Structures are given as C-alpha cells and as structure tokens.
C-alpha cells in the first residue's frame, strides 16, 4: 500500500514570523495523521520551519534547487546547502519555474540527480497546458516530462521520487481536474514508469495531484486508486484549511 503524501507549496508567501505562527497553529492539528505531511517553504523560511517542526511529524522541503554543488551562480542554492541545514524534500520543475525561469526537462533531470546525490527527495512536477489538453496531447506531454525527468536514475531512486501531476490550467484557477480525470492521467504516468523501470517500481512511486486542491475536494481526489496525495498551493497557506486536507481521511 502506498502512503498518502500531502505537501503544501507556499510559493512566494510567508515571512519568517508568519511561518512560525503558522507552524505553531498547524502542528497540533496534524499530529495524529498517518499521512506524510510536508511544508515546502521559501528559502528564507527554511531554517525557521526546520527549527519549529523539530520533534513533530511535519517534514520540510524547498521549492527549487540548483544542479551544481557550488560556484559562481549568484542567487542560487545547491542541494548540498539544503541538505546541510536538514531539508528533506525539494520541489523540482514546477510549471511556474518552467514558465517564468526557463526550467527545461534537461535542467529538471540534472536537479533530480543533484537532489539524490545529496540525499534529498525530489517532488517532480509535470502537467499539460490548456492548449495541450484541448489538442489531445495530455498523455504525450506528461509521460514525456516524466520519462525525461527520471532519465538515468536507478530503480531505487525512481521509487523514491515523488511525482506531482499538476495540470497547468488547474493551478490557482479554482478549476480542479475531476477525480476520474486526474486519476486517469496519473495511471498513464505510472504506466510509463512501468514500461521503463518495471511494475515493482511503478507500484511504489508516489504520484500526487496538484491544482486547486482544497478541503472540499481532497477526499474525492485522494480516495481514487492512483492519486497518492496532493501538492497544495493556495489552500496550504491557511493552517486550519491545510490541516483539513491532511486529515481528509479522519
Ligand atoms: P493551487 O493549489 O493554488 O492551485 O496551486 C497548486 C500548485 O501549483 C502547487 O504546487
């Protein structure tokens, strides 16, 4: 049985004092869950989030990473740096980074490898645009992104990769993919992984859904056969709302 993994992506929100207040309110609300809970926070909040989640069941992730270990890359942060302060997860290839910062399938793959070299767990985002969806290219797009992101990884690394299927048209729009639709897309991603890495690996990979997840639709989405939790943007900014999503099965 795959575990449900529910991650909040705060994006560019939350000052350190807000992050601390959030975690204080959020921690008791999710302490009894069997689901994995991750907060992916801005770089400046990482240290505060790590300190304030010590001894709790909440894990901390970053939202991006550079693929080189160190060097003249002004403004960037490496996987080694993230690991050195105790970060465990990192989002890679979010559609906003692909769209605004020229993230490519190639750089995503390099970042995934850098994450594993430093013992960080990558959460790799894939998803089609509205145009691609309307042209019937959803499966082609998401299976290609998945294949290229995972290229050159070992079976055990693939097992430890979290994929987040986030249809771009559903991000921040209030439009959620239907649970059936999202589940079908995720099945296609799993099939692609099975083709390359075999069934045993594919059966273990956590594949989340992201795009306007909220407490009112989490249960329906997460109870499908192949959706293993969610990557939650806007609704993760309020501790009580995000806790309801984490506790969807209570
Ligand atoms: P929303 O939940 O705000 O639609 O954002 C989804 C997302 O991009 C998470 O990474």
């Amino acid at each position: 049985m795959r575990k449900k993994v529910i991650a909040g992506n705060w994006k560019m929100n939350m000052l350190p004092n807000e992050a601390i207040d959030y975690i204080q309110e959020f921690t008791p609300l999710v302490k009894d869950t069997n689901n994995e809970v991750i907060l992916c926070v801005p770089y400046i909040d990482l240290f505060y989030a790590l300190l304030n989640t010590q001894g709790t069941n909440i894990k901390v992730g970053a939202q991006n990473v550079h693929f080189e270990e160190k060097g003249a890359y002004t403004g960037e942060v490496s996987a080694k740096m993230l690991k050195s302060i105790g970060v465990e997860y990192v989002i890679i290839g979010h559609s906003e980074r692909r769209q605004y910062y020229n993230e490519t399938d190639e750089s995503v793959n390099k970042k995934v490898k850098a994450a594993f070299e430093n013992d960080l767990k990558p959460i790799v985002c894939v998803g089609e645009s509205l145009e691609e969806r309307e042209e019937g290219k959803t499966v082609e797009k998401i299976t290609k992104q998945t294949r290229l992101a995972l290229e050159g990884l070992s079976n055990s690394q693939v097992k430890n990769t979290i994929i987040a299927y986030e249809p771009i048209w559903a991000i921040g729009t209030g439009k959620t993919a239907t649970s059936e639709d999202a589940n079908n897309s995720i099945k296609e991603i799993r099939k692609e992984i099975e083709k390359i890495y075999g069934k045993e690996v594919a059966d273990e990979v956590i594949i989340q859904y992201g795009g306007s997840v909220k407490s009112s639709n989490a249960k329906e989405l997460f109870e499908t056969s192949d959706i293993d939790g969610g990557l939650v943007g806007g609704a993760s900014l309020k501790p009580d709302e995000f806790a309801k999503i984490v506790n969807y099965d209570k």
Side-chain angles (χ1 to χ4, degrees):
M1 251 297 262
R2 290 184 301 268
K3 204 172 173 168
K4 301 289 180 191
V5 180
I6 301 166
N9 174 9
W10 285 356
K11 307 192 179 181
M12 198 172 72
N13 294 288
M14 298 277 198
L15 302 175
N17 62 320
E18 293 170 328
I20 294 166
D21 289 348
Y22 179 110
I23 290 165
Q24 263 161 17
E25 191 179 334
F26 183 62
T27 301
L29 302 177
V30 297
K31 70 175 181 15
D32 296 323
T33 184
N34 292 319
N35 305 322
E36 185 133 331
V37 194
I38 309 168
L39 292 175
C40 295
V41 308
Y43 287 139
I44 58 144
D45 293 333
L46 282 172
F47 199 66
Y48 299 94
L50 286 160
L51 280 180
N52 286 276
T53 53
Q54 260 178 24
T56 75
N57 56 337
I58 302 165
K59 309 276 172 55
V60 174
Q63 300 172 8
N64 182 35
V65 66
H66 196 272
F67 48 78
E68 293 292 350
E69 187 177 298
K70 60 181 178 178
Y73 300 99
T74 303
E76 293 291 327
V77 173
S78 72
K80 190 173 183 174
M81 290 169 162
L82 293 176
K83 186 67 191 178
S84 74
I85 60 166
V87 173
E88 286 184 65
Y89 293 85
V90 60
I91 297 174
I92 295 176
H94 192 281
S95 61
E96 287 151 14
R97 295 212 59 88
R98 294 182 192 253
Q99 183 181 352
Y100 305 134
Y101 306 102
N102 297 323
E103 193 85 82
T104 62
D105 289 325
E106 194 189 348
S107 64
V108 167
N109 179 247
K110 284 187 185 171
K111 290 179 177 198
V112 171
K113 287 176 176 159
F116 278 120
E117 274 159 26
N118 290 280
D119 204 19
L120 291 174
K121 280 195 183 182
I123 302 175
V124 178
C125 302
V126 301
E128 81 286 2
S129 66
L130 185 59
E131 199 185 342
E132 287 159 340
R133 186 178 189 81
E134 284 170 349
E135 287 171 3
K137 292 188 175 150
T138 298
V139 174
E140 185 190 326
K141 175 70 183 285
I142 62 180
T143 53
K144 183 172 175 220
Q145 283 181 324
T146 303
R147 194 168 62 243
L148 295 177
L150 302 178
E151 206 167 73
L153 297 189
S154 67
N155 282 13
S156 81
Q157 287 172 331
V158 175
K159 275 187 200 171
N160 280 303
T161 303
I162 296 174
I163 311 271
Y165 167 60
E166 300 205 307
I168 297 168
W169 50 270
I171 295 177
T173 56
K175 285 187 203 144
T176 321
T178 64
S179 54
E180 194 190 346
D181 223 39
N183 194 44
N184 283 337
S185 293
I186 287 177
K187 278 186 185 165
E188 294 293 340
I189 294 171
R190 206 178 294 288
K191 259 199 253 166
E192 184 71 13
I193 296 173
E194 182 176 339
K195 259 202 278 178
I196 308 169
Y197 301 94
K199 184 165 166 45
E200 195 221 339
V201 174
D203 282 346
E204 273 193 44
V205 178
I206 299 290
I207 311 181
Q208 302 172 313
Y209 167 77
S212 299
V213 174
K214 34 190 186 282
S215 59
S216 56
N217 59 24
K219 190 175 169 72
E220 195 192 331
L221 287 160
F222 300 169
E223 281 185 344
T224 54
S225 65
D226 280 65
I227 302 180
D228 305 322
L231 183 58
V232 184
S236 76
L237 294 173
K238 295 203 180 93
D240 54 340
E241 170 68 3
F242 190 43
K244 281 188 199 154
I245 297 173
V246 170
N247 294 321
Y248 79 93
D249 51 351
K250 293 260 179 250

